[in-house]
Amino acid sequence: MKSVIFAAAIASAAAFAPASTGKVSTHLQAFESELGAQAPLGFYDPLGFLDRADQETFDRLRYVELKHGRISQLAFVGNLFTRAGNHLPGDINYEGQSFASFPNGLAAINGPDSISSSGLLQIFAFIAFLEIRVMTDVTGDSEFRGDFRNGFDFGWDKQTEEWKMQKRAVELNQGRAAMMGILGLMVHEQIGGTFPIVGAM
């Protein structure tokens, strides 16, 4: 009985103790209103990348998320496009191998019928060129990290700030969905089987 009374006294005393507010909660609250903290998940950081992050770190992580989302959108649509039987015309090399002669998905870069090492090296060199010289803020006039218009307007500057934020939010959500989509396609390719729209894996 004495232990119950003692525990109740400790619990009631703890109720009046000041709550500790650390730096972590302050940082997290600063990012809860950022673009991307939207329905259905709201602010979502399950691995705690933003626990001790400042604004510069947040902006870098947001840019990386945006870039991965854009790449995943291209990968997902490209995967569906080639699985539907669409390939570039002509030959991929001087040996006369056509684009259509290589398998789809991961098997195109890793497998018995995959593209040669020299072919992969050329692909990676082209990606590096795009990363360094094309997909970058050449003019220095970007509105946000990831804005690669580089002097081409496309009607963006004529729109309202609300419209711009809504379009940026849509791109983020579509990129997140594409990251899950291409990951799902890669996993199912390893499992095998046949799936709607995609067909045989």
Side-chain angles (χ1 to χ4, degrees):
M1 182 69 172
K2 289 181 183 178
S3 60
V4 174
I5 294 172
F6 180 74
I10 295 292
S12 62
F16 296 102
S20 62
T21 56
K23 236 177 171 180
V24 173
S25 63
T26 305
H27 281 297
L28 292 180
Q29 289 172 0
F31 302 128
E32 286 178 353
S33 61
E34 290 283 346
L35 177 71
Q38 55 203 25
L41 294 177
F43 180 77
Y44 187 66
D45 182 27
L47 299 180
F49 286 122
L50 299 176
D51 285 352
R52 286 172 289 285
D54 55 8
Q55 187 65 42
E56 183 180 345
T57 303
F58 176 83
D59 291 341
R60 184 183 62 78
L61 291 172
R62 172 50 46 84
Y63 169 65
V64 170
E65 178 186 18
L66 186 61
K67 183 196 300 188
H68 287 172
R70 290 171 177 172
I71 292 168
S72 296
Q73 289 175 67
L74 289 171
F76 185 82
V77 172
N79 202 309
L80 294 181
F81 189 77
T82 55
R83 287 187 187 283
N86 303 300
H87 299 276
L88 293 173
D91 297 333
I92 196 171
N93 56 25
Y94 292 121
E95 283 86 37
Q97 293 176 306
S98 67
F99 285 95
S101 67
F102 292 97
N104 300 315
L106 288 174
I109 60 172
N110 184 20
D113 300 325
S114 63
I115 299 170
S116 67
S117 298
S118 59
L120 285 177
L121 185 63
Q122 291 175 38
I123 292 170
F124 288 130
F126 180 65
I127 292 170
F129 169 75
L130 291 176
E131 179 76 19
I132 295 168
R133 305 296 292 167
V134 178
M135 300 306 292
T136 186
D137 181 19
V138 177
T139 62
D141 296 331
S142 64
E143 287 184 26
F144 55 90
R145 290 186 76 170
D147 176 13
F148 299 141
R149 289 176 294 143
N150 293 321
F152 298 100
D153 182 19
F154 304 111
W156 180 264
D157 290 332
K158 297 179 181 135
Q159 304 299 331
T160 64
E161 288 303 316
E162 294 79 17
W163 184 90
K164 291 178 183 180
M165 292 300 282
Q166 193 265 342
K167 292 299 179 185
R168 289 178 61 197
V170 166
E171 182 183 20
L172 267 176
N173 267 351
Q174 290 175 343
R176 291 167 178 171
M179 285 187 263
M180 294 295 104
I182 193 61
L183 180 62
L185 284 177
M186 292 189 299
V187 168
H188 285 297
E189 182 180 346
Q190 298 305 308
I191 294 171
T194 304
F195 299 93
I197 300 174
V198 179
M201 296 299 270

